Amino acid sequence: MATSLMCKTLGAACLGLSMACASPVAFAIKDVIETPARATQLAPENLLNDVARAGDRIVAVGERGHIIYSDDEGQSWTQADVPVSVTLTGLDFGSESEGWATGHSGVVLHSGDAGATWQLQLTGIRAAELAIESQEEAIAKMETRVEEAPEEEKADLEWALDDLYFALENMQSDLDIGPVNPFLDVWFADDQRGFVLGAYGMLFHTADGGETWQDWSPKLDNSQNFHLNAMTRIGGGALVIVGEAGQIHVSVDGGESWERRESPYPGSLFGVTGTGGVNEILAFGLRGTLMFSTDLGSSWKMVNTGSTATLNDGVTEDSRIVLVGNGGAVLTSGDSGDTFREYLRNDRQGVMSVVPVSGTNLLLVGEGGAELTAAQGKNLQ
């Protein structure tokens, strides 16, 4: 199970293995994209990577293309009809009925019935083609700049042009291998406008509910193509993306433009949430790292929670904030993130995501599937 968990949090070994094995398993990758998820009563007990609400319904996604939904606050589950059997990593609903899920092999799925049935909307092949088209446009613009530039500026621009050519060659090689790069998260503003993001700096935007997608990665200051792990909207309306190497990107215009923020932590950040306060951000990741900003990421304060567990996801409800992570870690705050209290679940299984349910209870999903718990993460029974 640890290996599956690493695939969500993007351990370097997992990505390296997937790339090294890509050619021999090209047909296998195609098979899992074209093979529907198998129905099983064990889906609620297997690895689940993300959970979200669709109105009164709760929906969760996980390995082997499993998507399950509950209409009774997690007491019972029904398995959805899903056209792929890849590991699914991210989930979001732009409205009570319209939802999107992301996964390995560059898969994007769409549901129009609150998660009961799903259709394949995008694969890694098409995503790679879109990225190549975007790169070719960037090369054409740079070639024009080189031709029109004064002699003293040409050398630097030619170096930049060489870098663009090199990146294009890498993209074309990846396309020859197949759809191996995973999407890791998805966020939608409504039933039309949204983003999917993932490995090697992938960021795609749609303005028509996923009918068409545009490569948005050139809008980020991410020349090294670090992985993008999570995205959210915070109080005040700003969008925030976090990722590998301490990356933090902020947009105040709905994602049309982005600014990179300096991070006090150089390691991977796997999750981000707001506190409920305007312009306030909590970003978190490896080794229990938790950072707090009150000014859209212009400055940061490190929060000492006492935890060393890698933190994967979080949710804010009123003044309560819940963060979850590896080793069964559940961190809760009742004061809008000023202080946190850690509880380590007895099974020590990694927790990947969380939603509040009836009363003060929580629904946790992760290595052990779906589990209803009390407010601190303790088992109800």
Side-chain angles (χ1 to χ4, degrees), residues 166-185:
F166 181 74
L168 177 62
E169 291 174 1
N170 284 339
M171 291 178 181
Q172 291 168 333
S173 296
D174 287 345
L175 183 58
D176 291 339
I177 292 172
V180 297
N181 295 333
F183 284 120
L184 297 170
D185 201 12

Side-chain angles (χ1 to χ4, degrees), residues 80-364:
D81 293 327
V82 180
V84 300
S85 51
V86 300
T87 293
L88 300 174
T89 56
L91 176 69
D92 194 41
F93 283 82
S95 68
E96 291 190 359
S97 60
E98 302 291 326
W100 285 264
T102 54
H104 288 193
S105 304
V107 160
V108 178
L109 303 173
H110 170 252
S111 172
D113 56 10
T117 61
W118 295 80
Q119 298 78 43
L120 182 62
Q121 217 173 42
L122 184 67
T123 71
I125 292 293
R126 181 56 184 150
E129 291 171 347
L130 290 171
I132 287 173
E133 292 172 9
S134 176
Q135 190 72 5
E136 289 173 340
E137 291 175 4
I139 287 173
K141 291 179 181 178
M142 184 60 72
E143 288 175 337
T144 300
R145 288 185 61 189
V146 170
E147 291 176 1
E148 297 176 351
E151 283 301 319
E152 62 270 18
E153 296 179 9
K154 283 186 182 294
D156 289 340
L157 292 175
E158 287 171 348
W159 275 107
L161 181 60
D162 286 342
D163 287 341
L164 292 175
Y165 276 123
F166 181 74
L168 177 62
E169 291 174 1
N170 284 339
M171 291 178 181
Q172 291 168 333
S173 296
D174 287 345
L175 183 58
D176 291 339
I177 292 172
V180 297
N181 295 333
F183 284 120
L184 297 170
D185 201 12
V186 51
W187 180 85
F188 266 74
D190 49 38
D191 62 2
Q192 296 294 309
R193 299 172 295 123
F195 295 85
V196 292
L197 58 154
Y200 302 106
M202 291 194 300
L203 178 66
F204 291 87
H205 173 260
T206 181
D208 56 13
E211 293 295 323
T212 60
W213 295 86
Q214 296 80 40
D215 179 19
W216 230 244
S217 57
K219 293 179 179 287
L220 299 186
D221 179 9
N222 184 21
S223 60
Q224 293 178 281
N225 295 326
F226 287 125
H227 308 317
L228 306 176
N229 293 328
M231 179 176 178
T232 197
R233 180 166 57 190
I234 63 169
L239 301 178
V240 185
I241 291 174
V242 299
E244 185 184 21
Q247 280 193 97
I248 303 167
H249 304 272
V250 175
S251 173
V252 296
D253 56 8
E256 290 296 322
S257 63
W258 295 84
E259 293 184 2
R260 184 163 179 173
R261 299 293 196 243
E262 291 296 323
S263 171
Y265 178 67
S268 288
L269 299 171
F270 294 127
V272 59
T273 187
T275 67
V278 173
N279 296 340
E280 294 186 349
I281 309 170
L282 283 171
F284 44 89
L286 284 173
R287 302 182 183 90
T289 298
L290 177 60
M291 311 185 308
F292 175 57
S293 174
T294 61
D295 53 11
L296 289 177
S298 295
S299 62
W300 294 90
K301 177 181 73 174
M302 303 300 292
V303 180
N304 182 9
T305 66
S307 176
T308 59
T310 290
L311 300 174
N312 298 315
D313 194 19
V315 64
T316 299
E317 183 186 50
D318 299 324
S319 62
R320 180 171 71 148
I321 300 172
V322 183
L323 307 178
V324 294
N326 292 357
V330 180
L331 280 64
T332 54
S333 171
D335 54 14
S336 300
D338 287 338
T339 60
F340 282 84
R341 179 179 179 182
E342 181 184 42
Y343 173 72
L344 295 177
R345 292 176 47 77
N346 291 336
D347 58 19
R348 294 298 193 270
Q349 291 183 312
V351 185
M352 300 306 301
S353 189
V354 56
V355 292
V357 291
S358 54
T360 60
N361 291 344
L362 303 173
L363 177 72
L364 309 180

